[in-house]
Amino acid sequence: MSSNSGGIFDIPGKQEQLAILERNASSPEFWNDAAKAQKVQRQIKELQEWVEAWQSLDREVQDLASLAELAAEEKDAEVLKDAEASVPGLEKRLSELELRKMLGGEDDARPAIISIHPGAGGTESQDWARMLLRMYSNWFVKKGFKVDVLDEQPAEDAGIKGATLEVTGDHAYGYLKSENGVHRLVRISPYDANARRHTSFAAVNVYPEVEDVELEINEADIKVDTFRAGGAGGQHINKTDSAVRMTHIPTGIVVACQSERSQHKNRASAMKMLRAKVFQHIKDEEEKKRDAKKASKLKIEWGSQIRSYVLQPYQLVKDVRTEHETSDAQGVLDGDLDDFVTAYLLALDAERTAG
């Protein structure tokens, strides 16, 4: 592994691109277009991180190879043992770079907006949506992502009617796009007096956040309604019409936010959600025009799920797209999602390469 290599990562190409962007950024006119300048700065930062990560790994591999060679010549078993012990750590870092290579989509580096909605089935599905919210919340902590709750609506008996979160961190959307779809749960219901097995569904929708994108939404195309936020009540119940619902008339897209006491804050969060959904709608329409695979919203029911979580009569979580599975269902529900995300990204990369 030479310092001028990089194999599948094309480090020389990234270095050349970085040099061009840095020259452009040094121009006096660079900040004339602030939005474009910020985009270029993000590209520079990402390329710098790529190059520095590779160079650091490459140096350590070279140093370790030299150390092992010297130890072999001097028959120093202790140093050889230490060198061998360092290999798994370097392999892990190489795997992380390989995973990062798969996160090269146009929007992968963006923050994400994730919404969770229960399917038909009342309390059962609402509780399943709550379980998914907990699973993702735990995973976000493990990934070091920053999370802001844009909207959360508790259900009357148990679970949630819906939740929308803003997730910020390294390639948040790139990772989270693997979760877009319908999730199916099979378990003995804690709400069934006869302890029967129930199947529940919940939909997870993931969008890239696009506040920095030039996206014109005519205010005349937005219908804004305010209403009193729901909730369990008590001393903290919101007694003012601070909740906001926005309808984008041309597309029929509807978003709502009631997580804040301030109508102004709820309006800002709702607008952020609306921009993300309209942006995704436009992208989907463009894909259709290019005769790409038609994007369709699946019903939240049997046969449309991307992943099944079976807790009874056996323990199994299986992704129907990649065939990846594990019997550690509780671990997954506690937020151990990395293997499923990686399997999805590997399959996506293979499909992209084959295409």
Side-chain angles (χ1 to χ4, degrees):
M1 188 187 296
S2 74
S3 58
N4 290 322
S5 69
I8 60 172
F9 305 126
D10 186 23
I11 297 302
K14 286 180 170 59
Q15 289 173 317
E16 183 179 349
Q17 186 182 359
L18 178 60
I20 293 170
L21 291 176
E22 287 178 332
R23 278 199 301 272
N24 292 341
S26 64
S27 166
E29 296 82 24
F30 179 68
W31 283 102
N32 288 352
D33 186 335
K36 183 178 178 182
Q38 289 172 354
K39 183 177 180 180
V40 170
Q41 284 196 318
R42 283 195 299 274
Q43 290 177 307
I44 288 174
K45 183 175 181 291
E46 186 171 348
L47 287 167
Q48 285 174 335
E49 289 173 352
W50 254 112
V51 172
E52 289 169 6
W54 170 260
Q55 289 176 337
S56 174
L57 179 60
D58 188 42
R59 279 194 303 270
E60 290 187 41
V61 169
Q62 296 294 337
D63 290 345
L64 187 62
S66 299
L67 181 63
E69 185 179 348
L70 184 62
E73 289 176 1
E74 297 183 356
K75 295 183 173 55
D76 191 329
E78 192 66 30
V79 173
L80 268 175
K81 185 178 178 181
D82 289 343
E84 289 173 359
S86 301
V87 172
L90 294 175
E91 288 178 339
K92 182 175 183 293
R93 285 169 58 190
L94 181 60
S95 296
E96 288 170 352
L97 279 180
E98 289 173 338
L99 179 60
R100 187 165 183 170
K101 171 185 172 287
M102 301 173 208
L103 297 169
E106 181 181 357
D107 300 312
D108 284 358
R110 296 184 182 281
I113 291 177
I114 175 172
S115 296
I116 303 170
H117 298 286
T123 300
E124 290 291 340
S125 293
Q126 290 169 354
D127 190 51
W128 173 220
R130 177 197 59 79
M131 291 169 66
L132 285 172
L133 177 60
R134 175 184 175 275
M135 178 183 77
Y136 288 121
S137 297
N138 289 344
W139 185 57
F140 296 152
V141 170
K142 293 177 182 181
K143 298 296 289 184
F145 290 153
K146 177 179 178 291
V147 180
D148 289 318
V149 179
L150 299 181
D151 190 41
E152 184 177 349
Q153 302 169 47
E156 285 81 2
D157 298 322
I160 58 172
K161 291 182 179 178
T164 301
L165 312 174
E166 178 186 27
V167 186
T168 307
D170 183 29
H171 288 79
Y173 175 72
Y175 286 109
L176 266 172
K177 66 186 179 186
S178 66
E179 302 307 296
N180 195 59
V182 176
H183 297 245
R184 167 181 173 253
L185 172 70
V186 180
R187 65 170 175 174
I188 299 296
S189 170
Y191 306 102
D192 187 330
N194 296 314
R196 290 172 295 189
R197 196 161 66 240
H198 284 247
T199 299
S200 306
F201 298 90
V204 176
N205 299 115
V206 183
Y207 308 92
E209 188 177 291
V210 291
E211 285 195 299
D212 61 335
V213 170
E214 292 184 11
L215 176 63
E216 292 294 330
I217 298 181
N218 192 334
E219 287 192 16
D221 290 337
I222 303 175
K223 180 176 180 288
V224 180
D225 298 300
T226 59
F227 58 98
R228 185 163 298 179
Q235 62 175 331
H236 299 300
I237 190 169
N238 194 337
K239 296 184 173 65
T240 62
D241 293 343
S242 62
V244 174
R245 182 186 298 109
M246 289 185 177
T247 304
H248 186 241
I249 298 168
T251 61
I253 292 170
V254 180
V255 299
C257 186
Q258 57 178 323
S259 60
E260 300 287 347
R261 289 174 175 270
S262 161
Q263 186 183 115
H264 176 74
K265 289 182 179 178
N266 282 331
R267 188 184 182 99
S269 293
M271 191 64 193
K272 186 181 293 186
M273 293 154 61
L274 186 68
R275 282 179 60 84
K277 290 192 175 186
V278 170
F279 176 75
Q280 190 63 45
H281 175 81
I282 292 171
K283 287 188 68 176
D284 290 344
E285 290 299 312
E286 288 174 349
E287 285 180 6
K288 292 176 191 178
K289 290 176 183 176
R290 291 194 299 266
D291 294 324
K293 184 178 179 181
K294 185 177 181 181
S296 60
K297 190 170 184 179
L298 298 173
K299 292 181 181 178
I300 311 176
E301 60 185 23
W302 179 273
S304 62
Q305 70 271 4
I306 62 165
R307 192 178 299 148
S308 290
Y309 306 70
V310 181
L311 304 185
Q312 288 288 344
Y314 51 85
Q315 299 264 319
L316 181 72
V317 179
K318 182 173 182 177
D319 195 298
V320 300
R321 302 163 300 178
T322 64
E323 301 295 316
H324 182 76
E325 62 183 49
T326 178
S327 59
D328 184 16
Q330 191 55 54
V332 173
L333 291 173
D334 286 339
D336 294 337
L337 284 173
D338 280 350
D339 289 347
F340 282 94
V341 173
T342 299
Y344 175 81
L345 292 174
L346 282 168
L348 201 62
D349 191 57
E351 183 180 307
R352 207 159 36 215
T353 303

